[in-house]
C-alpha cells in the first residue's frame, strides 16, 4: 500500500485520498507554478494511512463506542469523550511500514532543500474538507517549524488525533457527516520563513457582502497562524479586480492593524517550535507588506480563482493563505480552498437589519463587524474552554479570542464578542457560516462587559460593530434584489460610509447620487486638513503626537490625506462601477471642522456657520486653497490612476456664478479638467441664487443636483438646526415646489443633467411624485427608502 504522495503526484480529483487541502496544493503545484505562483513543495500522508492506523491498531471499535451516544449540546460531556478518543489515537504506535514511508519521504524533501532535517509545517487535511456546503477549515490542527524525524512523527499523530476535537465532532454532527466517512490526510510542507517577514490570508470575494470584484488581503508580521487564529488585528487591504487587470493602481482600501504580537521560530533548545513575541512599536506603526506586494498577491489570487472556476465550471471564489519569505523575499501560496459562505448563497434577496434610531443607545465597546446582523442577550464571559459548561443557549459569548474550538458554544450563542481577531480569522469564518453576529478585535470586551449584563451587538452599520447596553429594538427587512426594471427616472442612492458601498451596490439603483466627502474626511482622515498641511511643511500644530501616530504608516501627511481620500471615494466607485458615482467635495462648516484633531487655530468663530465659511468660498480662499488642491489631487488619482472614471464631481454651496468659475479653474489647476476623461462637474442647487440664475450657472457646470435641505431653509429663512422654528421647515411648501419646477425646467432647456439628493423624496412620497412629473433625471435616496420609492415611481410610470 502507498501511504505517501508528493505534490507533483496529486490533483484536485484526489480529495478522497489526500483531503481538500492536499489536493488543492498538488493541483496548484502542478498547474499554477508555471504561471509564476510559488508553492513550497511537500507531500501528503494519505487518508488510507489514517484508516490503516485505526484498523491495524485495533481502535476503531473503541472510538465508535465512545461516540455512540455523545450529545454535542452537552459541551462538558463532548469534551470528555473527545479527549478520550484523541488519547486513544495518539497512544497507538504507527505501523512500521507506514513509519518507514513517512521517514523516507521526509528525507527526500529535506534533500531537495539542502537540509539534513527540513523545517516543515504539519497540517491536517480532512477528506470532507471544503465541500460546497461546509468549510472544515480549521477543524483540525496545524503545527509549524517541525524539525527532525521524532518531532515529525509526534506531530503527525497529533494531527490524526485532531480529527476528534470537540469542535470537529460537533461540526460533523451538525452537518450530518459520519465520523468514519471523514478521513484525515496529513500535509508535510516546507516552511516559508515568514517568521522573518509577514504572512496572512486573502479572499477573492468580500467576506461580508459577497461582492465579487475585490480581493481582500490581510497581513501581519511573522508566521500566519496569528492571522488565521485571530490572535492579532492584521493590516487589511482591498484590491479592485477589474482595474488591477487593466494595470491600474487598484488598491481601494488600506487599514493599518495593531499587530501587537508576531509568531517566530522558537530557540532550538526550547520545547516549543514557535513562540509569540511582542511586535516592536516601529513595526506596528507601518504596513507589513508594500503596495507592490499587495497588488502581486491580488494578481496571484485572481489566477488561482480563475483556475478553480475553470475546473468547477462556475465562478469559484477562493480562501487563500500566503506567506512572504524573509530570506529570499518571495511571496508564496501555502494553502487555497473554496470560499464556502458568501459564494454558496442562492437567495437573491437582501436582508437588512435596522436598529431603532429613536431608542437610547450607550456604546460599551466596539470592534470589527462580522456580517450585518443584530443580536441581543445576556453576557457570558468565558476565559478558557474549561469554563465553557457555564455557557447557555442564547447567551452572548464574550472572550479574549474565539477559535474553532469554541464552535459548539458559538452555534448556540445569540452573538460573539472578542478582544482580538480580524475579518479573516477562523472565528470570523465560522461566525459567518453559522449566521451568528460577531464583533472581533474590541480590545477591552472582557473588561467592560460582565456576566448577566444584557447587551445588543450591532453589525449593521458597516465595518465597525457596536455593543450597546441593554436590549435595543431592531427590525429585519427582506429586500428582493432581482425585480428591478429600468425606469425613465433614474434611482440613485446616497452613501456616506464607504464600508457599506458593497452591500448597497446590490440595491436596485442606477448609481450613487451623493457620496459625501465629509464623511470620508471625518472617519478616514480624522485630522483637520490644514493641520496636515502645516505638518507637511514642518510647522507646529496642536495634538501633533496624535496626528503623527495616525499618519505614521504613510510617506508624509500629504500622502496620508491623498491616499485616504482616494481609497474612500474609490471604494464607493468600485462598488458601483461602471454606474455613475457623484462625489460631493467636502462640505463641512467651521463648527464641524473645529471638532477635528489638530483644528486649534485654523477655524474662525462664526455666529451662523450654516451660511458662513463653507463650500466654494472656502475652496478658493488663500487660507484653505492648498488643502482643497490636495482633495482634488486625491479625486484625480481615483479617476485616472485607479481607473474609476465613473466618478463625477459636485461642488456644494456655490453662492455666485463667479465663485463657480473660480472653483472650476482651481480644479483644472489640480488636473481635474472638465470634459477630459469624461469628467463632469455639477453644482449643488441649494441656494436661491442657484435657482434664479440657473441659466448662468449651467454655462459653467454640467448639471445640477438639488439639495432640498439647504434650499428649503434658505428659501423659507428657517435655521433647520433650530427647534424653535422647525415647524416651518417643509420641502412640500408651494414655494419649494415652484423652486424645484424652475430648476428642472432650466436644466432641461440647457440640455443638462438635473437630479435631487436631498432628504425630501426619501421622506415624502408626494415630493417624489411631483419631481417625476416635472421630468427630473434622477432621484437619489437614502438606502432605506430605495425600495418603496422605486415601487412608487414604477407604478406612476405604468400609469397606476
Amino acid at each position: 500500500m502507498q501511504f505517501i504522495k508528493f505534490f507533483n503526484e496529486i490533483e484536485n480529483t484526489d480529495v478522497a485520498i489526500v483531503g481538500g487541502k492536499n489536493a488543492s496544493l498538488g493541483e496548484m503545484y502542478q498547474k499554477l507554478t508555471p504561471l509564476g505562483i510559488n508553492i513550497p513543495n511537500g507531500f501528503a500522508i494519505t487518508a488510507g494511512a489514517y484508516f490503516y492506523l485505526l484498523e491495524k491498531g485495533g481502535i476503531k471499535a473503541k472510538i465508535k463506542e465512545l461516540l455512540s451516544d455523545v450529545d454535542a449540546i452537552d459541551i462538558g460531556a463532548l469534551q470528555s469523550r473527545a479527549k478520550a478518543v484523541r488519547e486513544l489515537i495518539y497512544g497507538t504506535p504507527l505501523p512500521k511500514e507506514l513509519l518507514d514511508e513517512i521517514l523516507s519521504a521526509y528525507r527526500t524533501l529535506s534533500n531537495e532543500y539542502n537540509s539534513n532535517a527540513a523545517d516543515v509545517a504539519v497540517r491536517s487535511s480532512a477528506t470532507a474538507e471544503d465541500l460546497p456546503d461546509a468549510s472544515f477549515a480549521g477543524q483540525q490542527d496545524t503545527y509549524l517549524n517541525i524539525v527532525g524525524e521524532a518531532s515529525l512523527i509526534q506531530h503527525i499523530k497529533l494531527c490524526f488525533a485532531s480529527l476528534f476535537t470537540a469542535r470537529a465532532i460537533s461540526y460533523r454532527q451538525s452537518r450530518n457527516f459520519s465520523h468514519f466517512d471523514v478521513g484525515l490526510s496529513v500535509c508535510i510542507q516546507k516552511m516559508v520563513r515568514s517568521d522573518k517577514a509577514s504572512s496572512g490570508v486573502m479572499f477573492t470575494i468580500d467576506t461580508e457582502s459577497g461582492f465579487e470584484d475585490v480581493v481582500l488581503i490581510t497581513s501581519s508580521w511573522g508566521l500566519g497562524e496569528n492571522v488565521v487564529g485571530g490572535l492579532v488585528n492584521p493590516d487589511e487591504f482591498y484590491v479592485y479586480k477589474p482595474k488591477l487587470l487593466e494595470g491600474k493602481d487598484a488598491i481601494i482600501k488600506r487599514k493599518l492593524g495593531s499587530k501587537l504580537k508576531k509568531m517566530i521560530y522558537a530557540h532550538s533548545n526550547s520545547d516549543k517550535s514557535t513562540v509569540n513575541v511582542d511586535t516592536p512599536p516601529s513595526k506596528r506603526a507601518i504596513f507589513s507588506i508594500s503596495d507592490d506586494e499587495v497588488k502581486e498577491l491580488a494578481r496571484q489570487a485572481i489566477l488561482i480563482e480563475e483556475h478553480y472556476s475553470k475546473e468547477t465550471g462556475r465562478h469559484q471564489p477562493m480562501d487563500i493563505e500566503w506567506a512572504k519569505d524573509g530570506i529570499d523575499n518571495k511571496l508564496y501560496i501555502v494553502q487555497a480552498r473554496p470560499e464556502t459562505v458568501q459564494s454558496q448563497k442562492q437567495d437573491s434577496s437582501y436582508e437588512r437589519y435596522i436598529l431603532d434610531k429613536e431608542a437610547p443607545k450607550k456604546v460599551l465597546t466596539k470592534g470589527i463587524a462580522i456580517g450585518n446582523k443584530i443580536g441581543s442577550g445576556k453576557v457570558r464571559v468565558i476565559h478558557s474552554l474549561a469554563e465553557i459548561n457555564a455557557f447557555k443557549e442564547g447567551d452572548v459569548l464574550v472572550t479574549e479570542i474565539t477559535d474553532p474550538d469554541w464552535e459548539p458554544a458559538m452555534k448556540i450563542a445569540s452573538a460573539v464578542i472578542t478582544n482580538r481577531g480580524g475579518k479573516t480569522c477562523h472565528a470570523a469564518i465560522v461566525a459567518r457560516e453559522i449566521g451568528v453576529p460577531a464583533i472581533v478585535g474590541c480590545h477591552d470586551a472582557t473588561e467592560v462587559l460582565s456576566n448577566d449584563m444584557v447587551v445588543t451587538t450591532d453589525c449593521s452599520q458597516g465595518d465597525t460593530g457596536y455593543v450597546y447596553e441593554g436590549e435595543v429594538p431592531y427590525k429585519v427587512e427582506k429586500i428582493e434584489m432581482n425585480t428591478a426594471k429600468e425606469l425613465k427616472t433614474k434611482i440613485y442612492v446616497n452613501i456616506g460610509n464607504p464600508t457599506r458601498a458593497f452591500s448597497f451596490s446590490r440595491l436596485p439603483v442606477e448609481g450613487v447620487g451623493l457620496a459625501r466627502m465629509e464623511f470620508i474626511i471625518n472617519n478616514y482622515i480624522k485630522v483637520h486638513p490644514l493641520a496636515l498641511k502645516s505638518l507637511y511643511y514642518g510647522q507646529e500644530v496642536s495634538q501633533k503626537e496624535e496626528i503623527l501616530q495616525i499618519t505614521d504608516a504613510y510617506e508624509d501627511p500629504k500622502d496620508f490625506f491623498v491616499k485616504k481620500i482616494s481609497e474612500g471615494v474609490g471604494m464607493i466607485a468600485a462598488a458601483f462601477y461602471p454606474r455613475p458615482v457623484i462625489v460631493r467635495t467636502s462640505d463641512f462648516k467651521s463648527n464641524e471642522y473645529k471638532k477635528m484633531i489638530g483644528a486649534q487655530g485654523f477655524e474662525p468663530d462664526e455666529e451662523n456657520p450654516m451660511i458662513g465659511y463653507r463650500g466654494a468660498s472656502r475652496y478658493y480662499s488663500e487660507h484653505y486653497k492648498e488643502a482643497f488642491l490636495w482633495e482634488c489631487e486625491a479625486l484625480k488619482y481615483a479617476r485616472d490612476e485607479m481607473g474609476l472614471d465613473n466618478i463625477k464631481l459636485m461642488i456644494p454651496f456655490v453662492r455666485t456664478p463667479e465663485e463657480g468659475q473660480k472653483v472650476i479653474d482651481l480644479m483644472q489647476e489640480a488636473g481635474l479638467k472638465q470634459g477630459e476623461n469624461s469628467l463632469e462637474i455639477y453644482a449643488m442647487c441649494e441656494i436661491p441664487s442657484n435657482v434664479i440664475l440657473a441659466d448662468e450657472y449651467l454655462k459653467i457646470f454640467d448639471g445640477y443636483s438639488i439639495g432640498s435641505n439647504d434650499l428649503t431653509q434658505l428659501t423659507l429663512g428657517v435655521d433647520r438646526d433650530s427647534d424653535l422654528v422647525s415647524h416651518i421647515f417643509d420641502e412640500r411648501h408651494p414655494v419649494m415646489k415652484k423652486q424645484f419646477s424652475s430648476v428642472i425646467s432650466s436644466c432641461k432647456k440647457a440640455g443638462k443633467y438635473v437630479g435631487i439628493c436631498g432628504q425630501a423624496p426619501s421622506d415624502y412620497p408626494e415630493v417624489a411624485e411631483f419631481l417625476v412629473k416635472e421630468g427630473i433625471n434622477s432621484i437619489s435616496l437614502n438606502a432605506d427608502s430605495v425600495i418603496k420609492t422605486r415601487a412608487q415611481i414604477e407604478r406612476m410610470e405604468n400609469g397606476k
Side-chain angles (χ1 to χ4, degrees):
M1 182 182 289
Q2 183 185 2
F3 296 118
I4 299 297
K5 282 185 175 290
F6 273 85
F7 288 171
N8 62 4
E9 303 174 278
I10 301 170
E11 295 184 346
N12 255 344
T13 52
D14 293 323
V15 173
I17 301 170
V18 297
K21 192 175 300 171
N22 282 326
S24 179
L25 281 168
E27 178 81 10
M28 290 192 296
Y29 188 83
Q30 292 191 61
K31 310 273 181 70
L32 297 181
T33 299
L35 301 180
I37 294 178
N38 297 315
I39 315 290
N41 198 11
F43 61 89
I45 302 167
T46 66
Y50 161 76
F51 288 121
Y52 186 72
L53 171 65
L54 298 192
E55 294 289 350
K56 192 84 169 176
I59 58 176
K60 186 174 180 180
K62 294 177 184 176
I63 295 171
K64 279 186 176 178
E65 184 182 344
L66 281 166
L67 298 179
S68 60
D69 59 349
V70 70
D71 181 0
I73 300 299
D74 186 342
I75 296 173
L78 175 64
Q79 288 178 324
S80 176
R81 300 285 185 91
K83 183 181 178 184
V85 174
R86 291 197 305 277
E87 288 175 347
L88 189 61
I89 294 172
Y90 186 71
T92 302
L94 295 182
K96 183 179 186 303
E97 53 273 34
L98 172 57
L99 181 65
D100 289 345
E101 275 199 44
I102 292 171
L103 295 181
S104 175
Y106 178 57
R107 290 162 192 159
T108 299
L109 183 66
S110 296
N111 288 337
E112 181 182 335
Y113 287 96
N114 301 312
S115 171
N116 292 324
D119 51 335
V120 294
V122 180
R123 305 179 190 273
S124 308
S125 180
T127 56
E129 193 170 55
D130 305 317
L131 295 176
D133 59 348
S135 172
F136 281 72
Q139 294 303 315
Q140 285 77 52
D141 289 344
T142 292
Y143 302 95
L144 304 179
N145 186 27
I146 304 306
V147 180
E149 295 179 357
S151 182
L152 177 67
I153 298 304
Q154 175 193 352
H155 288 92
I156 288 168
K157 290 175 71 176
L158 286 170
C159 277
F160 283 151
S162 74
L163 193 57
F164 292 95
T165 58
R167 72 193 184 220
I169 294 168
S170 170
Y171 193 91
R172 289 194 293 271
Q173 286 193 347
S174 69
R175 285 153 182 82
N176 297 315
F177 282 90
S178 163
H179 296 300
F180 295 97
D181 284 346
V182 180
L184 192 117
S185 171
V186 179
C187 169
I188 311 298
Q189 185 180 33
K190 177 66 176 72
M191 285 288 294
V192 175
R193 293 304 304 268
S194 56
D195 59 307
K196 295 179 176 294
S198 51
S199 57
V201 177
M202 52 186 175
F203 286 83
T204 61
I205 191 171
D206 177 44
T207 53
E208 306 308 319
S209 67
F211 184 68
E212 295 179 350
D213 282 342
V214 288
V215 178
L216 164 62
I217 300 170
T218 56
S219 172
S220 192
W221 299 112
L223 300 171
E225 287 304 295
N226 278 351
V227 177
V228 172
L231 288 165
V232 294
N233 297 333
D235 299 331
E236 183 179 294
F237 309 87
Y238 277 94
V239 183
Y240 185 49
K241 294 178 194 174
K243 294 302 175 181
L244 180 72
L245 294 174
E246 291 178 15
K248 298 292 186 179
D249 189 0
I251 303 174
I252 58 174
K253 182 181 179 182
R254 300 170 184 84
K255 182 180 179 183
L256 189 70
S258 55
K259 308 182 295 292
L260 298 179
K261 297 282 184 181
K262 69 171 182 172
M263 185 180 285
I264 60 172
Y265 281 15
H267 293 299
S268 56
N269 59 357
S270 170
D271 59 350
K272 296 180 179 179
S273 58
T274 60
V275 63
N276 261 320
V277 297
D278 290 339
T279 305
S282 60
K283 290 283 191 181
R284 296 178 199 174
I286 60 174
F287 290 111
S288 46
I289 46 175
S290 68
D291 281 2
D292 286 344
E293 288 167 337
V294 169
K295 287 180 278 190
E296 176 57 24
L297 283 170
R299 186 191 69 82
Q300 294 192 18
I302 293 169
L303 286 173
I304 294 169
E305 180 183 67
E306 287 175 347
H307 175 78
Y308 280 85
S309 296
K310 186 177 179 181
E311 288 285 309
T312 58
R314 61 180 174 82
H315 178 232
Q316 180 56 72
M318 299 297 290
D319 168 359
I320 302 162
E321 293 181 30
W322 64 272
K324 178 183 176 182
D325 194 301
I327 297 174
D328 66 17
N329 288 317
K330 292 180 181 178
L331 296 168
Y332 292 84
I333 301 301
V334 296
Q335 279 193 57
R337 60 179 74 89
E339 192 276 342
T340 56
V341 180
Q342 292 294 348
S343 58
Q344 297 305 314
K345 291 183 177 177
Q346 303 296 324
D347 193 351
S348 62
S349 63
Y350 170 63
E351 203 172 55
R352 187 159 183 258
Y353 282 69
I354 305 168
L355 204 68
D356 185 344
K357 291 179 181 177
E358 305 302 321
K361 301 174 200 65
K362 180 182 178 183
V363 177
L364 301 175
T365 187
K366 59 185 179 180
I368 301 166
I370 304 300
N372 68 335
K373 295 183 177 180
I374 301 172
S376 298
K378 284 185 179 180
V379 166
R380 180 60 53 187
V381 180
I382 304 291
H383 295 286
S384 72
L385 279 173
E387 304 171 8
I388 206 77
N389 289 337
F391 194 81
K392 305 299 179 189
E393 187 168 2
D395 285 350
V396 175
L397 177 61
V398 178
T399 187
E400 178 70 19
I401 177 173
T402 312
D403 64 38
D405 275 322
W406 300 61
E407 195 247 5
M410 292 172 71
K411 284 195 308 186
I412 59 174
S414 61
V416 176
I417 304 168
T418 71
N419 286 348
R420 293 191 281 172
K423 270 189 179 179
T424 58
C425 66
H426 278 309
I429 294 170
V430 171
R432 288 187 199 100
E433 187 175 335
I434 61 181
V436 173
I439 303 176
V440 300
C442 292
H443 301 292
D444 61 354
T446 55
E447 297 172 20
V448 300
L449 306 178
S450 56
N451 287 336
D452 298 323
M453 208 185 240
V454 175
V455 298
T456 298
T457 59
D458 177 15
C459 297
S460 70
Q461 306 299 320
D463 257 8
T464 304
Y466 298 91
V467 181
Y468 304 115
E469 185 177 60
E471 189 168 346
V472 181
Y474 66 91
K475 64 180 181 179
V476 183
E477 186 179 83
K478 195 164 187 177
I479 301 169
E480 290 297 330
M481 309 305 295
N482 59 355
T483 57
K485 59 171 280 188
E486 190 170 345
L487 303 176
K488 293 176 186 175
T489 308
K490 303 293 184 188
I491 302 298
Y492 291 168
V493 66
N494 297 333
I495 292 184
N497 186 347
T499 64
R500 306 190 76 181
F502 294 156
S503 293
F504 285 175
S505 71
R506 298 178 61 208
L507 290 167
V509 297
E510 282 73 42
V512 176
L514 174 61
R516 298 182 177 93
M517 179 67 77
E518 55 272 15
F519 187 100
I520 295 168
I521 290 177
N522 200 39
N523 289 274
Y524 276 49
I525 305 292
K526 299 180 182 178
V527 181
H528 195 291
L530 293 180
L532 291 172
K533 175 197 153 191
S534 295
L535 269 183
Y536 178 71
Y537 288 111
Q539 299 163 359
E540 288 298 315
V541 296
S542 64
Q543 298 176 277
K544 179 180 177 180
E545 291 306 314
E546 188 175 353
I547 297 171
L548 290 174
Q549 191 173 2
I550 291 170
T551 61
D552 206 16
Y554 294 81
E555 188 177 319
D556 55 48
K558 181 181 179 182
D559 180 57
F560 165 76
F561 184 86
V562 170
K563 279 184 176 166
K564 282 296 182 187
I565 294 284
S566 62
E567 289 166 24
V569 170
M571 206 161 181
I572 299 172
F576 286 85
Y577 196 88
R579 290 173 285 177
V581 170
I582 302 172
V583 178
R584 183 178 68 192
T585 49
S586 52
D587 193 27
F588 275 142
K589 294 166 274 296
S590 57
N591 59 322
E592 293 166 331
Y593 270 118
K594 279 184 178 181
K595 297 173 184 175
M596 299 190 77
I597 297 168
Q600 186 177 330
F602 291 119
E603 292 297 326
D605 293 321
E606 295 188 287
E607 289 294 328
N608 194 344
M610 189 74 77
I611 54 174
Y613 187 43
R614 64 177 286 201
S617 302
R618 177 181 282 263
Y619 299 159
Y620 63 79
S621 70
E622 287 304 317
H623 178 63
Y624 194 82
K625 182 168 71 173
E626 186 166 355
F628 179 66
L629 287 170
W630 284 12
E631 189 175 326
C632 292
E633 189 174 327
L635 291 165
K636 177 178 168 54
Y637 192 89
R639 281 181 49 83
D640 296 349
E641 302 306 315
M642 297 166 78
L644 298 166
D645 52 10
N646 59 327
I647 295 171
K648 301 176 187 295
L649 302 179
M650 183 161 63
I651 310 304
F653 228 75
V654 186
R655 291 170 166 94
T656 68
E658 292 76 20
E659 271 202 331
Q661 190 59 59
K662 283 183 180 180
V663 174
I664 293 284
D665 293 344
L666 197 57
M667 294 172 79
Q668 184 165 326
E669 182 183 325
L672 288 169
K673 187 175 180 181
Q674 210 168 4
E676 193 172 276
N677 192 17
S678 69
L679 175 60
E680 294 180 344
I681 303 175
Y682 305 141
M684 285 286 288
C685 180
E686 55 190 342
I687 304 172
S689 64
N690 302 150
V691 180
I692 297 165
L693 295 177
D695 294 346
E696 296 301 313
Y697 280 96
L698 291 170
K699 292 175 184 175
I700 301 165
F701 291 99
D702 295 303
Y704 262 163
S705 184
I706 301 168
S708 58
N709 298 348
D710 272 343
L711 187 58
T712 301
Q713 80 163 340
L714 294 173
T715 299
L716 294 174
V718 176
D719 180 354
R720 58 188 168 103
D721 288 343
S722 171
D723 293 337
L724 299 174
V725 291
S726 61
H727 61 282
I728 302 170
F729 185 92
D730 189 349
E731 296 102 321
R732 298 166 295 180
H733 193 283
V735 72
M736 296 314 303
K737 288 185 176 181
K738 195 167 184 178
Q739 299 263 45
F740 299 156
S741 180
S742 175
V743 170
I744 294 169
S745 175
S746 295
C747 288
K748 290 172 78 172
K749 179 182 171 184
K752 298 290 180 80
Y753 163 84
V754 60
I756 186 168
C757 59
Q759 186 69 24
S762 290
D763 289 346
Y764 304 117
E766 58 268 44
V767 173
E769 183 175 344
F770 175 80
L771 293 168
V772 170
K773 287 179 177 176
E774 291 295 308
I776 199 164
N777 295 133
S778 73
I779 294 177
S780 194
L781 303 156
N782 297 331
D784 55 4
S785 304
V786 164
I787 300 300
K788 66 179 182 182
T789 307
R790 186 180 189 100
Q792 174 199 356
I793 292 171
E794 190 172 334
R795 288 193 299 270
M796 286 179 61
E797 292 191 357
N798 290 335
K800 295 180 181 178

